[in-house]
Structure formats: structure tokens, C-alpha cells
Amino acid sequence: MELHDVWFVLIAVLWTGYFFLEGFDFGVGVLTKLLARNRAEKRVLINTIGPVWDGNEVWLLTAGGATFAAFPEWYATLFSGFYLPLLVILVCLIVRGVAFEYRVKRPEERWQRNWETAIFWTSLIPAFLWGVAFGNIVHGVKIDRDLEYVGSVWDLLNPYALLGGLVTLALFTFHGTVFTALKTVGEIRERARTLATRVGLVTAVLALAFLVWTQVDSGDGKSLVALVVAVAALVVALMANQAGREGWSFALSGVTIVAAVAMLFLTLFPNVMPSTLNADWSLTVTNASSSPYTLKIMTWLAAVATPVVLLYQGWTYWVFRKRIGTQHIAEPAH
């Protein structure tokens, strides 16, 4: 296996890790409007992801940096062609981070309510737009002979990509709902389990339609296996949720995300951005990659840094592993 193939796999792993981890905290952000009934319950939801949401975003920064260094042509075409949706995602992530920090800086109800509304929208919008972006990456976009995107922003809003956006939004919301059931106690836990069943059924229908479409359009035997694993894991996650096994349900919803993202990258390879104008103009792991020397240096750096990051993030989740409820929410200190 060539180093550019290795880095394609590593970037796929980074995006998978990002969607697995950021997926549930996007979902919890959406639940601040769908599940919480009062201010205390909103605080419970936000506190379940408070210690980890910023660490989850490290995976996005690493995926973007790795793409820039390993596949500069891919990075340039992707970020220039998808400039507007990626800018919207970036602004949402910035506002979301500010909302988490500023929400409790003042005691006024209106102040806190506005920041909580910001958390909801800046969780929902990126959860949708990431699906739209990856739907276009896999399905193909208008790339010319100079390896530049020549379409418009409206070309990105095609039926396949919009369905992909609905799938990621629904799947992340389901992932966040079972995470909430895993991390809370009392009435909010029971309502989270009930909501997870409803959201999970909608997710199953949308995901099956999207993955089957992907398989018919550009799949092979390997992607078919990933499709079966994704659908089976989602069904079993629903069953585990019904049985009150939140840990298994969360793990299996995570397997669904991993298998679904794996399927997308399997159907994409050896392309990184297919051209709908001419297959010969597609960006591939070969014509979009950096030099072998650059990839070699990156590989050594990744081998040293990756275990450290994994150990640190794993330790964070272990420290904040206990369930919480409204009884654990202290009165504001203002």
C-alpha cells in the first residue's frame, strides 16, 4: 500500500472519529429544544457534554490539517468549491463555543435563553450541512480539467446531498439521545429513551434510503458489507434502547456511524472528489496527494502524536463518566 493510500485511510478514520464524537454532542444540542422541559433540564443536557465538546472538535481540526498536508489539491478544491457551506459550519462552531462559555456569565433568564437557542441552532445546522457536504463529495461535483470546482452553491443542494444532510441530522440526534439516556438519571433519562425510539425509527428509514442509493450509484462488495453492518447496528441499537441497555445502544449507534462513514469512503476510493463533467478530471489519491517525503514525515508525526491524544481524551471521558440529573444542578452563584 502506498503512503497516499495510507493517508486516505487515516483521513477517513479522523472523519469517522469526529462524526462519532461530535455527532452525539450535536445531538444533545438539538435535544435542548426537543427534550428539555425547563431550565434545569437544559442545564443537565449541556452539562453532559460540557467537559468533552471542545475535545471532540480536535478531530475536525486534525482531519482538516491532515487533508491540507496530505492532499493539498483536495483541500484547495474542497474549501474553494464548498466555501459557503463550510463558512456557515465554521461560524456555527465559533458561536457554539461562545454560547457554552457565555451562557452562565449573567443571571438574566433572557440572556441564558438566547445562548441556549444559539446552542440549538449551531448544533442543528452543522449536523445537517456535514451530510450535504459529504453527499456531494461522494456523489461528485463539477470539476474541470484544471481540477477546480466550476459549479455554484445551488449545485450542492441536489436531492442526494440533501438526503445525506437529513441522514446526518437524524443520526446525530439519535446518537445524542441514547447518549443522554446513558448519562442521566430520573425522568429525563426515561423520556430520552422514549424519544430515542421515535428518532431511531425515522433515522433507520432515512439511512436505509441514502445508503441503498449510494450502493446502487457507486458501491461494490465491500461497501455492501458496510451497508449491512450499519443498518443491522442501528436496528440492534433500537432494540437495546427498548431493553434499557443504554450502554449497548450508544455503542451500536456509534457502530452505525462508523460503518456508514466507512461505506462512503469505500465508494469514494481511489477518488477523493469525483468529477461529474469528466471522470478523467476527478481528484484521486494519486493526483491530489503531496510528495512521498511529505507523507513520510507526516506518518512519523502521526505515530507519535496520535496515542497521546487518544490517551488524554479517553482519560477525560473516564473522569466524567458518571450520570447526572436535575438534583446535581446547583443554584446559580450570581
Side-chain angles (χ1 to χ4, degrees):
M1 181 181 289
E2 300 289 338
L3 277 179
H4 51 66
D5 297 331
V6 171
W7 273 97
F8 178 85
V9 174
L10 291 177
I11 288 172
V13 170
L14 290 171
W15 280 110
T16 302
Y18 173 67
F19 287 144
F20 181 98
L21 296 171
E22 189 87 302
F24 72 74
D25 71 47
F26 279 150
V28 172
V30 173
L31 293 180
T32 57
K33 290 287 188 182
L34 300 183
L35 183 65
R37 292 180 175 174
N38 51 50
R39 176 57 44 76
E41 290 188 351
K42 287 184 179 181
R43 292 177 64 189
V44 168
L45 290 174
I46 293 172
N47 285 357
T48 62
I49 59 174
V52 298
W53 68 267
D54 49 353
N56 295 342
E57 291 187 356
V58 170
W59 289 78
L60 172 61
L61 299 176
T62 309
T67 303
F68 172 77
F71 299 100
E73 288 285 356
W74 185 13
Y75 182 93
T77 304
L78 175 65
F79 278 77
S80 60
F82 293 21
Y83 179 81
L84 184 57
L86 292 179
L87 176 63
V88 172
I89 291 174
L90 178 61
V91 170
C92 283
L93 294 180
I94 293 172
V95 173
R96 189 168 181 262
V98 173
F100 279 122
E101 298 298 330
Y102 276 39
R103 181 181 57 88
V104 294
K105 297 301 183 182
R106 289 172 56 178
E108 293 89 347
E109 182 178 351
R110 181 178 179 183
W111 170 272
Q112 296 189 7
R113 185 174 63 250
N114 287 341
W115 285 118
E116 287 163 358
T117 300
I119 290 173
F120 169 76
W121 286 109
T122 57
S123 298
L124 184 148
I125 293 172
F128 175 75
L129 288 180
W130 279 128
V132 173
F134 270 83
N136 280 290
I137 291 172
V138 173
H139 198 58
V141 292
K142 294 179 179 179
I143 298 175
D144 65 10
R145 66 174 66 250
D146 297 320
L147 306 182
E148 295 181 359
Y149 178 71
V150 293
S152 68
V153 67
W154 303 111
D155 293 322
L156 302 178
L157 303 178
N158 55 80
Y160 177 82
L162 292 175
L163 178 58
L166 292 176
V167 170
T168 52
L169 175 57
L171 184 54
F172 291 169
T173 303
F174 174 70
H175 197 41
T177 308
V178 294
F179 177 78
T180 299
L182 176 64
K183 288 288 293 179
T184 57
V185 295
E187 184 183 352
I188 192 169
R189 174 190 177 190
E190 298 302 321
R191 282 192 278 113
R193 285 176 51 195
T194 301
L195 183 60
T197 300
R198 298 172 183 172
V199 175
L201 291 174
V202 174
T203 303
V205 173
L206 293 173
L208 182 61
F210 179 74
L211 295 179
V212 169
W213 189 344
T214 305
Q215 178 65 27
V216 171
D217 188 50
S218 54
D220 57 14
K222 294 178 181 178
S223 62
L224 180 60
V225 172
L227 185 157
V228 172
V229 171
V231 174
L234 183 55
V235 171
V236 180
L238 281 166
M239 296 170 60
N241 176 70
Q242 284 288 91
R245 303 297 296 273
E246 293 98 342
W248 280 105
S249 183
F250 177 72
L252 287 163
S253 70
V255 170
T256 302
I257 293 174
V258 171
V261 176
M263 180 186 177
L264 296 183
F265 277 94
L266 285 169
T267 58
L268 188 60
F269 185 81
N271 295 320
V272 293
M273 282 188 75
S275 172
T276 57
L277 299 179
N278 188 325
D280 294 334
W281 299 343
S282 297
L283 289 169
T284 68
V285 293
T286 303
N287 66 17
S289 68
S290 294
S291 67
Y293 180 74
T294 300
L295 296 177
K296 184 177 180 180
I297 296 298
M298 289 177 60
T299 303
W300 280 109
L301 291 174
V304 173
T306 302
V308 176
V309 174
L310 292 175
L311 285 171
Y312 175 79
Q313 196 161 24
W315 176 79
T316 303
Y317 277 93
W318 175 255
V319 169
F320 295 100
R321 67 189 183 276
K322 292 184 179 180
R323 296 176 182 265
I324 62 172
T326 53
Q327 66 271 29
H328 300 114
I329 301 299
E331 291 297 322
H334 297 287

